[in-house]
Amino acid sequence: MKLLYCIAALLASASLTACAQAPQPGQPAKPAAAPAAAPAAAAPTGATPEARARAALQTLNPQVQIDYVGEAPLPGFREVIVGGQVVLVSDDGKYLVQGSVLDIAQKKELTQSSPALSKYRVDLLKSVKAGDRIVFAPPNPKYTISVFTDIECGYCRKLHSEIAEYNRQGIAIEYMAFPRMGLGSKDHLDMISVWCASDRKQALTDAKNGKPVPKRSCQSTPVDMEYNLGQRLGISGTPAVFAPDGSQLGGYLPPDKMRQALDELAAGVSGGIN
């Protein structure tokens, strides 16, 4: 019954190396008790499998935002992107599959490696202007990763404490704001102050080192926009790290392991990336 209450957070379990996002207002921390069993509803009808997939999800949550519906690699199913994650809905609208689906012959995971999901992520990430990111980059970086971060998360602080080594590994880090305690929290207000600083890089470094954040305001900041975009990407904890092709590298990885993961991704080697 969990889908009835959090369809937009499917597959959004936090990384073991990330700080979990706090429950947000209007989003219950735990699903309510399931009601007594009712007669099964008729399968959604529609002119196409895509229409039936949309109708099926909307019977679970009429307000759900569906970002993509297309043919799935699993015969008889449609691939749907919702809450930044992939689920599969049968062409007749009767069944929903969430979680990993493995092609045994090819030894390939089919859902989180979806080309449609990668394109969806890349398009969202590209919508954030360069000037709205806080960038720590070496000259001529080999790789550029997008990292959704906050100030208080311990793994975010650990990652930032090694920023020079990431750069030495040829990795540029482009930070975006994701105050995991939610909009209106102290973390959120402090991140606005960081993004409004005249020297954002120093302000972010100071904040991650535990220094008090001087209160600042400015006409506009990207913090709210980046947080909302992170929600659409299905982020549930920080740091949330994305490779240039939209693959999610999980949470914190040491600099040498991050470089290894990026090298393997560039070489087409399957690793622990989703």
Side-chain angles (χ1 to χ4, degrees), residues 193-203 216:
S193 294
V194 166
W195 256 258
C196 287
S198 57
D199 186 342
R200 291 176 173 177
K201 292 172 68 174
Q202 188 61 53
R216 305 180 182 91

Side-chain angles (χ1 to χ4, degrees), residues 29 32 34 45 61 95 97 105 173 181 183 211 236 250 256 263:
T45 58
N61 183 345
Y95 304 104
V97 176
I173 292 180
M181 300 311 292
L183 300 182
K211 296 182 179 180
S236 61
D256 59 333
D263 285 343

